[in-house]
């Protein structure tokens, strides 16, 4: 079907609020609450801008918060007949700086291009840190404390923070570290943004070239942007022209920003929801709010409003297509986390199965995994009860092109090993899409066996993957499978290519490390070995419930959401004060973010939410902590009659 007709169908499918936002030709902010069709609106805007508003070669730069989101947008745009190319950048702000801003700046500034192996390994980061410390006399070495100080000082320098109270040698060390990276054409994760924003600040011609190439700058999850990325957006769109009067004289890109300040949950990583709120008051910006919720019923919407506890609740309402009102089920246990786990495994899950709810529509969400005492108890109990589950915290895959292809190859291999033979009527997984992705990787790195005959590479790939299949339907360790596939296909050669940097070559080493260093305590039934079946997207793997964190659940939805561990000091989180021997009350700002995080978890549900609260928990030292039932649980109980 022609792309024009696909776009027309997509626009017709929008509701009036979404359509008004997409058709707006000014700077646009879309405030999109949970389940409001944010992604559909954003993807349609990208397609609309490319096909109806911009003339080639001018295109769109679409910045996402995560590489996973970029992959989802790419899939949706492909259904509209569009692919990433010269007129469409699609990726994270870090990727935009890495592949577009920094290389262009270095070319315009007369600097040599980035090194072929531009991305530093952790060991190389430590070497640069140690050299910077030695050069400046900073009292640090390349250890965890030194890395923390370096990151703090670099961010402070980038954001223009007051450094008068900081050690001057540490500030000098951070500056020297950046100088060394720029001189050698190297980057680490933070340097992608630091060098990108610094280039935008210092090179007016760079802004002109970028805005000539991209007529629209589309930004997802704006509430989680850091001040530095917000500045980059402002300079490309001239929305900070009041601070930079000279910018108002040149052509700029139009902004289409999508987000929700109520879902800003990455403050610990520098996210600033107030930046999005400030944009809505800018005189050059038109703001739209999407009021319809296509996910949840009115009871869950009302519970979400209570969780936020705003002075003026949002006027969200469920869409006409939502037929169920939703249900909130509070469960209060008398003991510790073992009783939370027992309630899930012995009561809730059997009841859901009796109702016909498939496991893949159930999400168990916990606060941050790194300190939550319930995590190992819950994983062990689920395994002992033979409940299939996917633990997203164990997911080793990145979402760069090479890592995504490896995941698809693992999925295909596992599915083939489990599928009945063709003569028995089994449906064999499709190989063609996997082969096409493989050829794209080889083309991007000039590594085809025979560019004139694509079947040569496809046959070689099929032989390599077939040889790596788990034998006799027995599962295979992921690390063994990866090592064999990397060496028997041409992926190893592709990884050695300079072009592999932008395809995520650095993630493959991280993937291999994760596959080889898992903790047996977290995977007690497998001796700490991560098997192929645990990390693939095979059809038979979809029958697993999801165990993840509040933060990782962002952007997901389930028929049923289970929220255990609703205990003060965990939800909301409180820090232990060793001197006072008690948990400190969170600051007002920290409590607001805790509320937003709980709100995000609660609103992942379509139909049912189970809230499990208790009076305390046993800490790592075996002592009972009577911290009390979470205030969030108590507040929802207090208004139970109204929801």
């Amino acid at each position: 079907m022609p792309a024009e007709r696909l776009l027309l169908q997509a626009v017709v499918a929008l509701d009036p609020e979404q359509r008004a936002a997409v058709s707006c030709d000014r700077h646009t902010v879309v405030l999109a609450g949970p389940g409001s069709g944010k992604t559909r609106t954003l993807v349609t805007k990208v397609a609309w801008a490319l096909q109806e508003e911009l003339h080639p070669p001018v295109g769109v730069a679409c910045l996402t918060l995560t590489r996973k989101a970029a992959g989802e947008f790419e899939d949706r745009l492909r259904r509209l007949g569009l692919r990433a190319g010269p007129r469409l950048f699609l990726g994270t702000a870090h990727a935009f700086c890495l592949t577009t801003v920094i290389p262009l700046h270095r070319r315009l500034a007369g600097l040599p291009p980035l090194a072929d192996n531009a991305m530093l390994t952790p060991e190389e980061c430590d070497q640069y840190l140690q050299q910077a410390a030695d050069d400046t006399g900073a009292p640090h070495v390349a250890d965890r404390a030194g890395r923390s100080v370096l990151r703090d000082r670099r961010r402070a320098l980038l954001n223009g923070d007051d450094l008068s109270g900081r050690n001057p040698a540490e500030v000098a060390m951070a500056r020297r570290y950046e100088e060394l990276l720029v001189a050698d054409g190297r980057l680490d994760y933070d340097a992608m943004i630091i060098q990108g924003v610094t280039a935008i600040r210092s090179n007016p011609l760079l802004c002109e070239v970028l805005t000539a190439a991209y007529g629209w700058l589309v930004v997802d999850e704006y509430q989680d942007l850091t001040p530095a990325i917000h500045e980059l957006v402002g300079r490309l769109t001239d929305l900070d022209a009041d601070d930079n009067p000279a910018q108002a004289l040149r052509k700029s890109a139009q902004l289409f920003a999508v987000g929700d300040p109520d879902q800003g949950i990455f403050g610990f990583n520098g996210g600033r929801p107030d930046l999005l709120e400030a944009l809505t008051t800018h005189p050059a910006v038109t703001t739209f709010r999407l009021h319809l919720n296509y996910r949840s019923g009115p009871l869950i919407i009302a519970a979400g409003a209570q969780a936020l506890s705003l002075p003026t609740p949002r006027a969200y309402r469920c869409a006409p297509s939502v037929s169920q009102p939703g249900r909130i089920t509070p469960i209060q246990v008398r003991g510790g986390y073992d009783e939370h786990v027992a309630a899930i495994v012995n009561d809730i899950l059997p009841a859901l199965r009796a109702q016909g709810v498939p496991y893949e529509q159930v999400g168990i969400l916990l606060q941050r995994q790194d300190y939550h005492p319930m995590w190992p108890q819950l994983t062990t109990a689920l395994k002992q009860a033979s409940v299939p589950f996917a633990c997203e915290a164990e997911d080793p895959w990145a979402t760069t092109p090479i890592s995504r292809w490896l995941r698809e190859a693992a999925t295909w291999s596992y599915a083939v090993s489990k599928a009945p033979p063709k003569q028995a009527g089994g449906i064999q997984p499709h190989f063609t899409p996997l082969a096409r992705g493989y050829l794209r990787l080889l083309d991007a790195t000039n590594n085809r066996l025979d560019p004139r005959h694509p079947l040569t590479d496809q046959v070689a790939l099929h032989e390599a993957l077939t040889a790596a299949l788990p034998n006799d339907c027995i599962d295979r360790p992921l690390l063994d499978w990866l090592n064999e596939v990397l060496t028997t296909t041409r992926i190893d050669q592709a990884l050695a290519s300079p072009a592999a940097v932008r395809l995520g070559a650095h993630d493959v080493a991280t993937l291999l490390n994760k596959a080889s260093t898992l903790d047996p305590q977290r995977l007690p039934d497998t001796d700490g070995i991560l098997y192929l079946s645990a990390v693939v997207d095979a059809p038979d793997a979809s029958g697993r419930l999801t165990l993840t964190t509040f933060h990782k659940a962002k952007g997901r939805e389930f028929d049923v959401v289970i929220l255990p561990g609703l205990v003060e000091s965990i939800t909301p989180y409180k820090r232990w004060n060793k001197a006072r021997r008690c948990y400190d009350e969170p600051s007002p700002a920290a409590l607001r973010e805790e509320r937003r995080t709980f709100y995000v978890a609660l609103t992942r549900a379509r139909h049912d939410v189970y809230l499990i609260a208790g009076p305390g928990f046993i800490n790592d030292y075996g002592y009972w902590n009577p911290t009390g039932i979470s205030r969030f649980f108590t507040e929802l109980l207090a208004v139970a009659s109204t929801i």
Side-chain angles (χ1 to χ4, degrees), residues 319-391:
S321 58
V322 178
S323 59
Q324 298 190 28
R327 181 173 57 186
I328 307 292
T329 303
I331 299 173
Q332 191 169 329
V333 301
R334 296 182 178 181
Y337 283 146
D338 56 330
E339 295 191 19
H340 295 243
V341 171
I344 294 172
V345 175
N346 300 334
D347 301 327
I348 298 174
L349 293 181
L352 293 176
R353 294 296 285 172
Q355 297 167 24
V357 178
Y359 277 133
E360 62 262 30
Q361 291 301 334
V362 179
I364 303 176
L365 315 184
L366 293 173
Q367 263 286 27
R368 307 170 187 85
Q369 181 204 1
D370 54 356
Y371 65 76
H372 207 304
M374 191 190 304
W375 198 276
Q377 297 179 40
L378 186 52
T379 56
T380 300
L382 290 172
K383 290 171 184 175
Q384 290 174 347
S386 299
V387 175
F389 69 96
C391 183

Side-chain angles (χ1 to χ4, degrees), residues 264-414:
I265 61 174
F266 292 101
F268 61 88
N269 205 32
R272 289 270 304 277
D274 61 297
L275 298 176
L276 176 58
E277 293 175 325
L279 262 187
T280 64
T281 65
H282 196 289
V285 170
T286 300
T287 300
F288 299 86
R289 184 179 288 277
L290 306 183
H291 290 93
L292 290 181
N293 186 320
Y294 292 87
R295 177 188 301 155
S296 308
L299 299 186
I300 295 176
I301 293 174
Q306 173 57 43
L308 282 176
S309 193
L310 295 172
T312 304
R314 311 300 186 199
Y316 295 136
R317 59 189 186 278
C318 62
S321 58
V322 178
S323 59
Q324 298 190 28
R327 181 173 57 186
I328 307 292
T329 303
I331 299 173
Q332 191 169 329
V333 301
R334 296 182 178 181
Y337 283 146
D338 56 330
E339 295 191 19
H340 295 243
V341 171
I344 294 172
V345 175
N346 300 334
D347 301 327
I348 298 174
L349 293 181
L352 293 176
R353 294 296 285 172
Q355 297 167 24
V357 178
Y359 277 133
E360 62 262 30
Q361 291 301 334
V362 179
I364 303 176
L365 315 184
L366 293 173
Q367 263 286 27
R368 307 170 187 85
Q369 181 204 1
D370 54 356
Y371 65 76
H372 207 304
M374 191 190 304
W375 198 276
Q377 297 179 40
L378 186 52
T379 56
T380 300
L382 290 172
K383 290 171 184 175
Q384 290 174 347
S386 299
V387 175
F389 69 96
C391 183
E392 291 191 346
E394 310 290 0
D395 187 353
W397 304 100
T399 50
T400 43
I402 291 179
S403 190
R404 286 176 64 194
W405 183 84
L406 284 170
R407 182 171 200 155
E408 292 167 5
T411 295
W412 183 87
S413 297
Y414 183 76

